[in-house]
Amino acid sequence: MRTTTGAYDGERIDTLDYLRGFALIGIALVNVLTLFKVGSGAPGSADRYWFVFLNLTVEGRFYAIFSFLFGIGFSIFLSRAKEKGAKGNVLFIRRLLVLLVMGIVHQPFHPGEALLPYAVFGFVLLPFQKLRPAVNMTLALVLFVPAAYYGGKLLLVLPLFLLGLATGQYGVFVHIRKHLRGIRSIQYVTGALSAIGLVLQLLWMPNQPEMAIVDEGTRVSLMSRLADYSFIQTMTGLVMAAFYVTTLIRALQSEKVRSWLRPMQAYGRMALTNYLGQTVLLLTAGSLFRWSGNLGVVQTTLVCIGMYVMQMVFSMLWLSWFRMGPLEWCWRLLTYGRLPEMRKARGM
């Protein structure tokens, strides 16, 4: 069954799949640097320029989108469970426990992985579902500044979840056309703020992040500057993430754009499978070809592009036969305790 933007397709809201696929693309570009122990590159080199570009356009942006989308997913799951008369909180807790186990298993292979903190903060999110969306939205916006200043990515998960929860409560992605005017306004505002944030980020960016600390005075000065830069980068990342999301939503109002980005939709529809699959593919390739510590920033981006192609082709082929990804099927099985229907009916 084919639907328009923001409408239900059985259990899915297809715009969210496009956004999840988009987020996965950006997350890999940053994660691969850690997995392969890649430095920032020599000053004046292509690697250094690309490293700076990733810091300005990717770092912190796509993690924020992925976290926000998980918050929306939790909101949708709870509302649908209650609509069906199911014990929504019980199912939600079981869903989080499965996610927690996945995160614990994944964490030793990828120390910066997101599933473990998502599961933990998911439990924290439970009581907030009883609050009005305006309250959750206000709490999210208020918490962003201290979370960005004191905790970076980890503490940002809760306000991003709250923002996603409030967005789900408002029904934004169920009735996107109804909210397009507001989405356009957010796009314009965050676009302007992103430009300002990027200028500030460039002004505060250390010339040599890996420079040696000579004395105590230098230590204090450098650490203070790095702290300021980290805060500016994080806040700019949040604003740019909102700009990316609203821009993509508006672009998806065009059927031509939706057609062009269909592989990305399939990629996002199997977000859990592909997120964990990224770690498996990168670590396997890194071990086979001895890439760890031997690649530059530009080379890792090329590796990621090859991985995207493989995963998107696999996702499209898999979803031509099955209703969901293999890990999504396992997650649903362990949440509901019954076998979900996997194979597509003929003619779908």
Side-chain angles (χ1 to χ4, degrees):
M1 176 180 176
R2 185 169 158 275
T3 61
T4 56
T5 305
Y8 283 99
D9 180 5
E11 288 292 317
R12 306 210 61 84
I13 300 175
D14 60 357
T15 300
L16 293 176
D17 291 329
Y18 284 99
L19 289 170
R20 290 187 186 103
F22 179 64
L24 282 173
I25 290 172
I27 284 174
L29 289 174
V30 174
N31 285 348
V32 69
L33 300 179
T34 302
L35 291 175
F36 287 169
K37 300 175 183 177
V38 180
S40 60
S45 67
D47 281 330
R48 173 59 67 88
Y49 287 124
W50 191 247
F51 181 82
V52 171
F53 176 79
L54 292 179
N55 267 271
L56 293 173
T57 61
V58 178
E59 173 62 38
R61 280 71 169 163
F62 290 83
Y63 180 85
I65 296 172
F66 204 51
S67 303
F68 167 69
L69 293 172
F70 255 84
I72 293 177
F74 288 155
S75 173
I76 292 172
F77 179 87
L78 284 167
S79 63
R80 286 176 174 170
K82 291 177 180 178
E83 286 173 3
K84 294 176 181 177
K87 296 180 179 179
N89 287 346
V90 174
L91 291 175
F92 185 66
I93 290 172
R94 287 169 62 175
R95 186 173 176 83
L96 289 177
L97 288 173
V98 177
L99 191 67
L100 182 67
V101 172
M102 289 182 179
I104 291 173
V105 173
H106 188 217
Q107 202 274 339
F109 301 98
H110 187 345
E113 74 93 35
L115 302 185
L116 183 56
Y118 284 3
V120 172
F121 281 104
F123 286 106
V124 178
L125 192 67
L126 259 174
F128 290 95
Q129 64 174 309
K130 298 179 181 179
L131 301 179
R132 290 180 296 131
V135 175
N136 285 325
M137 183 73 71
T138 302
L139 285 172
L141 296 176
V142 168
L143 288 173
F144 275 136
V145 173
Y149 190 80
Y150 292 108
K153 286 182 179 180
L154 183 60
L155 290 186
L156 281 172
V157 173
L158 180 58
L160 286 166
F161 273 12
L162 287 172
L163 186 63
L165 175 62
T167 303
Q169 289 174 320
Y170 278 122
V172 172
F173 284 93
V174 180
H175 306 291
I176 283 182
R177 296 191 185 280
K178 175 182 174 183
H179 294 276
L180 274 179
R181 179 176 296 180
I183 290 170
R184 183 172 61 248
S185 298
I186 294 172
Q187 181 195 27
Y188 292 159
V189 171
T190 56
L193 292 176
S194 294
I196 296 171
L198 286 174
V199 171
L200 292 175
Q201 195 175 333
L202 281 169
L203 291 174
W204 260 263
M205 181 178 290
N207 292 326
Q208 294 178 300
E210 66 286 343
M211 64 185 291
I213 297 175
V214 179
D215 53 38
E216 191 63 30
T218 304
R219 184 194 307 274
V220 173
S221 175
L222 178 62
M223 293 305 293
S224 176
R225 186 174 182 85
L226 288 176
D228 291 342
Y229 174 74
S230 177
F231 176 70
I232 292 169
Q233 181 187 47
T234 302
M235 291 302 297
T236 302
L238 291 172
V239 173
M240 287 186 70
F243 176 69
Y244 289 165
V245 168
T246 50
T247 300
L248 184 54
I249 290 173
R250 293 193 63 197
L252 289 171
Q253 304 311 301
S254 164
E255 188 60 38
K256 184 176 292 186
V257 172
R258 295 168 64 78
S259 178
W260 289 342
L261 297 180
R262 201 72 68 189
M264 192 171 75
Q265 182 198 16
Y267 196 42
R269 187 164 182 173
M270 292 171 48
L272 181 62
T273 296
N274 286 319
Y275 175 69
L276 294 176
Q278 286 180 352
T279 302
V280 173
L281 289 173
L282 291 174
L283 289 181
T284 301
S287 177
L288 286 174
F289 302 109
R290 298 182 180 180
W291 281 341
S292 182
N294 295 314
L295 293 184
V297 184
V298 174
Q299 291 172 312
T300 58
T301 297
L302 296 175
V303 169
C304 284
I305 292 172
M307 180 181 67
Y308 301 149
V309 173
M310 290 174 57
Q311 287 192 306
M312 287 183 187
V313 170
F314 171 74
S315 298
M316 294 184 74
L317 290 174
W318 181 275
L319 292 173
S320 68
W321 289 95
F322 302 105
R323 296 175 181 272
M324 64 194 78
L327 289 184
E328 284 76 9
W329 183 86
C330 292
W331 198 10
R332 185 171 293 190
L333 166 65
L334 295 172
T335 298
Y336 290 97
R338 60 175 184 269
L339 287 173
E341 189 174 354
M342 187 64 159
R343 290 292 298 269
K344 280 187 174 181
R346 290 186 179 181
M348 286 188 64

